[in-house]
Amino acid sequence: MSDYETDNDTEYEEYEKDYESAAILAICGVANYYLRYVLKQEKRTSKLSGYQWLLELKEGNEMRFFEQFRMRKSVFNRLCNDLVLNYGLKSTRGVSGEEMVATFLYMLGQGASYRMLEERFQHSGETIFRQFHHVLSCVKKLAKNIIRPIDPSFGDTPKYIMDNDRYWPYFKDCIGAIDGTHIAIHVHQDEQVRFIGRKGNTTTNVMAVCDFNMCFTFIWAGWEGSAHDTRIFMEALRTKKLNFPHPPEGKYYLVDAGYPTFKGFLGPYRHTRYHIPQFRLAPNFRSNNEKFNYCHSSLRTVIERTFGVCKARWKILQNMPLRAKFETQRDIIVACFTLHNFIRMMDSDDISILQKFEDIVSLQANEDDGTTVRNGSTNSEINEWEEPRQEDVQAMEEIRDNIRDQLSDQIN
């Protein structure tokens, strides 16, 4: 056999191999297409649709409904009607407004993923995504009307203070409490360093104000976890578009030692025991300043209780969606605080029900762990954000001293 014939045979064998490989790939491609698009098996085949499941819950036991959607049926109905009538919630051909709200509440209350919602409500991922964001946009509109003081003039002393001899009449001019809380979020790798909070994970530091009915009257979400409370607080006071509810003349909010004390904002005595757990270890007061700090801390815990209830009700605040945009996560936080207020206004007694399902006490304890990590802001931090005038500081210190002296005459 000549060299020419040998080369031709080799070339033909290689051609055959290439042809066979191409044929195999083509057959695999056709088979894959046939299995996926011609013989594909329906994914959502439950006999109970999302709407049917919702109807079953609405007609069934109150506690079962509460466990799934974190509110009573009457509050759910009121929320749906309010969102439809006043905030633009609209049904689609395949999904009612009620089912949209139920989907939204289920995600917030159970910390459920989009895939879990697809299975539970028997809709495609695209439909679930659109439903969730439609309701989210409506709740954001509700937030503007519900996260604010009920009485912007703060004319009356809160009933909570008037009914408690520990606080009345000493704190009669107090209108609420201010604090920050850290909520874990997911951020892009390039942003992680500045969002790392005091416990080492990526968080957003949310500033909030609440009244003594445990309703939020102001929130500001979106600050990086490394931001100091003082920085956020002073920026909130000077940014007019945020509509911070400034205390009128003679009134004040309670703040902890992480904030400056000046006119309208009453903090504790520094370098003195303050947090309630510290007093449990040694209950006897060592000074009149400690007496004041104990009462101040006890009254200010209203905001820690409020944070605790909100986080216990909405599990998504402990487990944000992994791939959600930062803006979406921020809006979810606002939505959770908004719905907390709505429930408090419609059904103020439901915390007793929530306690049957969630450990609220532990979450409240996490808000006030007695640490001193953020207690005491440095002069450089305050100077960066407009240090309060000395006369404003002295005016509030005089009020604090007067309350301390009154308490010392009553508390042994």
Side-chain angles (χ1 to χ4, degrees), residues 341-394:
N341 273 18
F342 187 89
I343 295 169
R344 289 294 298 164
M345 293 175 180
M346 299 296 128
D347 186 13
S348 61
D349 296 329
D350 90 323
I351 293 178
S352 61
I353 302 176
L354 185 64
Q355 288 174 329
K356 296 179 181 179
F357 301 110
E358 305 298 336
D359 186 3
I360 300 176
V361 175
S362 294
L363 289 168
Q364 290 174 184
N366 288 337
E367 296 298 324
D368 180 16
D369 55 11
T371 63
T372 57
V373 172
R374 64 190 181 91
N375 281 357
S377 50
T378 63
N379 288 334
S380 61
E381 285 172 326
I382 296 178
N383 286 332
E384 182 182 356
W385 302 99
E386 299 179 2
E387 185 174 6
R389 295 182 304 171
Q390 190 58 35
E391 54 265 36
D392 290 340
V393 174
Q394 290 177 350

Side-chain angles (χ1 to χ4, degrees), residues 165-210:
D165 292 339
R166 178 186 294 176
Y167 310 125
W168 174 262
Y170 320 109
F171 294 94
K172 58 183 174 60
D173 294 320
C174 182
I175 58 175
I178 299 175
D179 204 356
T181 187
H182 285 255
I183 295 175
I185 60 171
H186 303 287
V187 295
H188 191 273
Q189 188 173 357
D190 296 341
E191 300 286 334
Q192 286 184 358
V193 173
R194 66 191 185 94
F195 277 90
I196 293 178
R198 61 180 183 265
K199 294 186 178 179
N201 57 332
T202 53
T203 66
T204 178
N205 191 350
V206 182
M207 176 190 165
V209 183
C210 80

